[in-house]
Amino acid sequence: MEYKDYSDVTVIIPVKNEPMIEEVLKDIINKLKNCKVIIVYNGNINIKNNHKNLMQLKQNSNGKGMACVEASKYVKTNIMCFIDGDKTYEVNDLKKLVELVRNDADLAIGDRQITKLDKKVMPDYVKIGNLILTYIERILYKLDIRDSQTGIRVIKTKVFKKLNINEKEFGIESEMNIKAKKMNLKIVEIPVSYYQRSDNARHSKPIGGFKLLWINLKYLFK
């Protein structure tokens, strides 16, 4: 059964000087009818066409994690979604994840099938880092997932607020996974599409991988 009404859903899009945000927004509004959208931005943003269910939120802090936390305070719907604003993910995949949460998953995430991605889409050093981080989460926390750092995910709003997210930057994905597992919540993962960025933005530097490694390890002691 395909739902035509998404008034129970809020989509959060954290962005920083993202040139593709208007195209992503248009796609979400067209495919998730009646959903709410919160664009939380750091830097500049250029949205020409405002929408009745759109909130543009200027970030008061730095980092993706804090952007998502700030935006979550304005969510009034039962379900909240996260998707990057760079047009690397399919909104149709977001719809599939929403259905999983509507059908009793607490957290639904998208597996980008990293080993199958072309180097232009994801460089080898980024692939290796992602695979290592995912392996660590599978071994240390018994998480049955294949893509721990995916940026497309859907979660029950009440669950997200219980997680009490603290990571300021990209560590939010690992923190969300690990805390949800520790709370014995139902985590579901499905394959999703992932595309090359249309601009020339760089991927995360290797130093970012070491920071994420520490984040994955420190929750052993919390």
Side-chain angles (χ1 to χ4, degrees):
M1 177 180 178
E2 182 177 353
Y3 287 82
K4 295 184 179 180
D5 179 50
Y6 288 84
S7 57
D8 60 334
V9 172
T10 298
V11 182
I12 294 174
I13 316 173
V15 298
K16 184 176 182 179
N17 301 324
E18 182 52 67
M20 302 304 296
I21 181 58
E22 191 153 29
E23 290 188 36
V24 174
L25 174 62
K26 182 179 178 181
D27 201 21
I28 290 171
I29 290 172
N30 287 338
K31 293 178 179 176
L32 276 70
K33 299 295 184 182
N34 302 318
C35 76
K36 312 297 188 297
V37 181
I38 301 176
I39 298 176
V40 52
Y41 64 96
N42 191 330
N44 298 315
I45 190 171
N46 184 21
I47 301 294
K48 297 177 182 177
N49 298 314
N50 208 341
H51 188 271
K52 64 178 182 178
N53 288 332
L54 169 66
M55 173 185 287
Q56 297 182 50
L57 181 64
K58 176 70 174 177
Q59 187 175 352
N60 293 319
S61 56
N62 292 311
K64 180 181 180 180
M66 289 297 95
C68 293
V69 170
E70 284 183 30
S72 71
K73 296 176 182 177
Y74 295 89
V75 175
K76 305 298 182 183
T77 56
N78 293 330
I79 297 173
M80 57 195 298
C81 313
F82 300 96
I83 190 170
D84 293 342
D86 54 9
K87 210 176 179 182
T88 51
Y89 294 100
E90 284 273 10
V91 174
N92 283 331
D93 286 330
L94 192 64
K95 292 174 67 175
K96 295 174 185 176
L97 294 171
V98 168
E99 299 316 311
L100 291 172
V101 172
R102 281 175 169 165
N103 290 312
D104 293 331
D106 293 301
L107 169 63
I109 66 176
D111 171 17
R112 293 170 291 179
Q113 305 172 84
I114 291 172
T115 57
K116 298 179 181 179
L117 295 179
D118 186 271
K119 291 181 181 180
K120 292 181 180 179
V121 178
M122 184 179 289
D124 285 341
Y125 77 91
V126 178
K127 285 185 185 179
I128 293 169
N130 272 276
L131 292 170
I132 290 173
L133 291 169
T134 300
Y135 179 77
I136 289 172
E137 290 188 20
R138 288 173 63 90
I139 295 300
L140 295 183
Y141 303 101
K142 309 302 180 185
L143 275 157
D144 185 20
I145 58 177
R146 294 171 177 79
D147 186 6
S148 65
Q149 303 306 303
T150 181
I152 185 170
R153 48 185 63 217
V154 178
I155 189 169
K156 292 177 180 175
T157 301
K158 63 181 181 181
V159 169
F160 182 83
K161 293 182 178 180
K162 286 180 181 178
L163 295 181
N164 189 27
I165 297 296
N166 295 306
E167 296 300 335
K168 295 181 178 180
E169 300 178 352
F170 286 93
I172 184 176
E173 286 86 6
S174 288
E175 183 181 10
M176 200 181 299
N177 299 339
I178 295 167
K179 285 186 173 180
K181 179 63 177 179
K182 285 191 168 188
M183 293 173 65
N184 294 316
L185 300 176
K186 185 176 181 180
I187 305 171
V188 180
E189 181 183 53
I190 59 169
V192 296
S193 300
Y194 188 70
Y195 302 106
Q196 182 179 1
R197 288 183 61 110
S198 58
D199 58 8
N200 295 317
R202 297 179 180 179
H203 287 270
S204 300
K205 297 178 180 179
I207 188 64
F210 289 108
K211 291 180 180 178
L212 288 172
L213 177 60
W214 164 242
I215 289 170
N216 274 270
L217 294 175
K218 75 178 184 180
Y219 285 102
L220 280 173
F221 310 102
K222 291 188 176 184

